[in-house]
Amino acid sequence: EQITALEKNQRDPFYGRRLAYSQKQQSIRKEKERIIRSSAVVEIGTLSKRDLLISGASLYWAEGFKKDNMVGFANTDPEMIKFILKWLIECLQVKLENIRLRVGINESHRHRTNIIEKYWSNVLDIPLSQFSKPFYQKVKWNKVYEHPEDYYGTLRVRVLKSTDLLRRIKGMVTGLTNSPIPN
């Protein structure tokens, strides 16, 4: 009986002071994370126009479309999409009306298409009239997500008539790769 009781207590997070200790550790971790993040925000500071230009070019290098004949970018992170739109508009003088958006979502979320498009439209403050027909991925998910209502797919950003702009961006990327890195 004692062995059974000990084994039960071993797995019980409420036994003894385990829960209190775990909560204290979680609180310490969260405070440490808050301090580190705040310090990093200060470290970045305010971006100059040149900083924005370089950051946008780097981001495009990592995530932008390179094989097409027009500027394109896709991601699931709304903040990253906002950043790339700011870069396109402020640094590259792309007019907002020349931007087209397209949602890519899993087939299992087809019934949520309107909700997902409205989400992106609201987040980016871009009218639904600038959205193209959505793309549906026909891959069946094996994983069951805890909060499927938080799924908003991937947003593709395209710039109309942007072949020369793409050439310019590719030149910026070459500039990044060729630039000597100071010691």
Side-chain angles (χ1 to χ4, degrees):
E1 288 177 16
Q2 288 178 335
I3 290 173
T4 303
L6 288 171
E7 286 174 346
K8 178 182 175 252
N9 291 341
Q10 184 180 10
R11 291 184 301 274
D12 184 0
F14 298 102
Y15 179 73
R17 298 179 57 168
R18 286 187 192 145
L19 182 61
Y21 176 77
S22 176
Q23 289 171 332
K24 180 181 176 189
Q25 290 301 101
Q26 185 179 38
S27 176
I28 290 169
R29 180 189 54 77
K30 284 183 177 179
E31 179 60 14
K32 182 179 178 182
E33 182 179 302
R34 187 194 64 74
I35 290 169
I36 291 170
R37 282 175 160 254
S38 296
S39 174
V41 167
V42 171
E43 188 177 2
I44 290 293
T46 303
L47 295 182
S48 68
K49 190 136 183 180
R50 178 168 163 49
D51 295 337
L52 179 60
L53 180 72
I54 292 169
S55 299
S58 299
L59 194 55
Y60 194 90
W61 183 12
E63 297 284 332
F65 302 168
K66 293 146 192 103
K67 302 218 185 233
D68 296 345
N69 287 327
M70 57 193 303
V71 173
F73 185 88
N75 207 277
T76 60
D77 182 350
E79 295 305 315
M80 192 177 293
I81 296 288
K82 286 180 189 177
F83 189 91
I84 208 73
L85 288 172
K86 181 177 182 167
W87 175 69
L88 288 167
I89 293 166
E90 292 184 18
C91 291
L92 305 181
Q93 286 73 49
V94 171
K95 290 183 171 60
L96 186 61
E97 59 266 18
N98 288 335
I99 293 175
R100 293 295 175 270
L101 305 173
R102 182 179 189 191
V103 174
I105 57 178
N106 190 279
E107 181 71 35
S108 63
H109 287 268
R110 182 182 282 266
H111 66 283
R112 295 184 60 239
T113 300
N114 290 339
I115 293 168
I116 292 170
E117 286 182 334
K118 284 179 186 171
Y119 165 82
W120 284 108
S121 176
N122 290 335
V123 164
L124 302 173
D125 197 26
I126 294 178
L128 288 170
S129 60
Q130 287 183 235
F131 281 69
S132 302
K133 183 179 173 186
F135 170 77
Y136 298 102
Q137 302 160 333
K138 295 183 179 20
V139 176
K140 181 170 166 59
W141 287 348
N142 293 329
K143 181 178 176 183
V144 176
Y145 289 89
E146 194 171 324
H147 297 286
E149 69 278 2
D150 292 340
Y151 170 77
Y152 295 104
T154 301
L155 189 71
R156 295 174 179 266
V157 176
R158 289 285 202 174
V159 179
L160 300 177
K161 299 178 183 173
S162 57
T163 304
D164 287 343
L165 180 60
L166 181 61
R167 292 175 181 141
R168 180 177 169 205
I169 293 169
K170 286 180 178 180
M172 289 178 193
V173 170
T174 302
L176 289 171
T177 60
N178 292 343
S179 180
I181 298 172
N183 295 333

